Amino acid sequence: MIRVTVWNEARHEAKNPVVAAHYPLGIHGAIAAAFPNDQFTVRTATLDQPEHGLTHDVLKATDVLYWWGHLAHGEVSDEIVERVKARVWAGMGLVVLHSGHFSKIFKTLMGTGCDLKWREANDRERIWTVAPGHPIAAGLPECILLESEEMYGEHFDIPTPDELVFVSWFSGGEVFRSGCTYQRGEGRIFYFRPGHETYPTYYHPHIQRVLVNAAHWAAPTKGATPVYGNAQPLEPLPVPLPAQKAAL
Ligand code: ZN
């Protein structure tokens, strides 16, 4: 079982009846429902909970963290951002969604401005699979069509992705790197573009398939736990350390 935590600032749902109508259980509720319960245990966490719902215990019990934020990036405490970053470095997967491009956690892990073009005008979006052999693209068509979405356009100020899985085209003529993978420390990161709050994007079966595939891809693998710092030699050195000399 892969342990997923879906984090959402959950502010649009409270303010905008259009968003609340699409997402009566919150955007986090819709994302959480995409994961089949025979493969995943899923919990949700929101900004207004103590420690934003991301306590040490919750993060320790999370294999892959999903992040949706927009209005309230500045309200996420630096302490929690550092805590999440440390977990990513230690191997936790992180999937950053849509306007999470401007979240503190994504910006600090990327080290760039993460800015982009945008427009809310019911653009049609075609999400093209450009890495059909990638695990995140498994079971998907060549192109996912979303009839209405917010436009995000290049240039997207991110580091060159390790792998580019999806590229979007918009009816206004723009293109965008919509599915980008990174590794930071032991952790895998996937940025996935669609998911503006005024559209029911997270109910689309192909979008849900991407979310599920991303969890399989980003889940930690059980490797050795590295030991850092001063190290004793495993073999006799040509010039023994003082401690070894004393023992001779
Ligand atoms: Zn948006």
Side-chain angles (χ1 to χ4, degrees):
M1 298 288 268
I2 297 174
R3 301 166 301 172
V4 164
T5 299
V6 180
W7 188 89
N8 178 20
E9 66 177 27
R11 290 289 168 82
H12 284 290
E13 297 91 325
K15 291 180 180 193
N16 184 341
V18 174
V19 181
H22 285 313
Y23 295 110
L25 302 176
I27 293 172
H28 52 297
I31 292 169
F35 295 93
N37 55 18
D38 59 336
Q39 299 164 43
F40 298 92
T41 55
V42 185
R43 73 170 94 207
T44 61
T46 54
L47 178 66
D48 291 333
Q49 292 174 326
E51 302 181 58
H52 309 327
L54 299 175
T55 62
H56 286 289
D57 286 346
V58 166
L59 287 176
K60 209 182 297 171
T62 299
D63 295 316
V64 185
L65 175 65
Y66 286 67
W67 193 280
W68 200 102
H70 180 223
L71 293 176
H73 295 315
E75 294 179 46
V76 178
S77 89
D78 293 340
E79 184 189 343
I80 302 298
V81 172
E82 287 301 308
R83 188 183 291 174
V84 171
K85 185 169 77 174
R87 279 287 295 137
V88 171
W89 285 357
M92 182 182 74
L94 177 67
V95 178
V96 176
L97 299 167
H98 187 59
S99 41
H101 74 93
F102 253 174
S103 62
K104 287 183 182 178
I105 185 61
F106 189 62
K107 288 171 81 170
T108 191
L109 285 164
M110 294 299 104
T112 56
C114 300
D115 210 344
L116 45 76
K117 288 186 182 66
W118 61 274
R119 175 176 62 241
E120 291 183 47
N122 297 325
D123 272 81
R124 174 179 288 180
E125 177 176 10
R126 291 187 180 277
I127 305 171
W128 288 94
T129 301
V130 295
H134 196 282
I136 296 176
L140 292 164
E142 232 187 340
C143 177
I144 302 169
L145 173 63
L146 299 177
E147 285 294 348
S148 288
E149 251 293 352
E150 181 182 13
M151 184 281 293
Y152 278 7
E154 296 282 346
H155 175 243
F156 185 17
D157 184 18
I158 47 172
T160 300
D162 295 346
E163 299 160 306
L164 187 57
V165 185
F166 302 111
V167 170
S168 284
W169 166 94
F170 293 89
S171 44
E174 295 87 356
V175 295
F176 191 77
R177 289 169 288 174
S178 271
C180 305
T181 77
Y182 298 92
Q183 180 127 9
R184 291 290 184 271
E186 309 303 320
R188 295 184 192 132
I189 301 166
F190 180 57
Y191 173 79
F192 189 45
R193 192 217 80 84
H196 186 66
E197 65 275 2
T198 56
Y199 304 108
T201 299
Y202 291 121
Y203 299 109
H204 191 294
H206 291 146
I207 299 301
Q208 292 184 339
R209 180 70 192 252
V210 173
L211 297 175
V212 170
N213 287 349
H216 285 291
W217 173 82
T221 46
K222 300 258 183 286
T225 303
V227 177
Y228 300 107
N230 185 260
Q232 290 300 309
L234 304 178
E235 306 285 346
L237 297 178
V239 179
L241 293 171
Q244 283 186 316
K245 267 188 197 158
L248 289 175

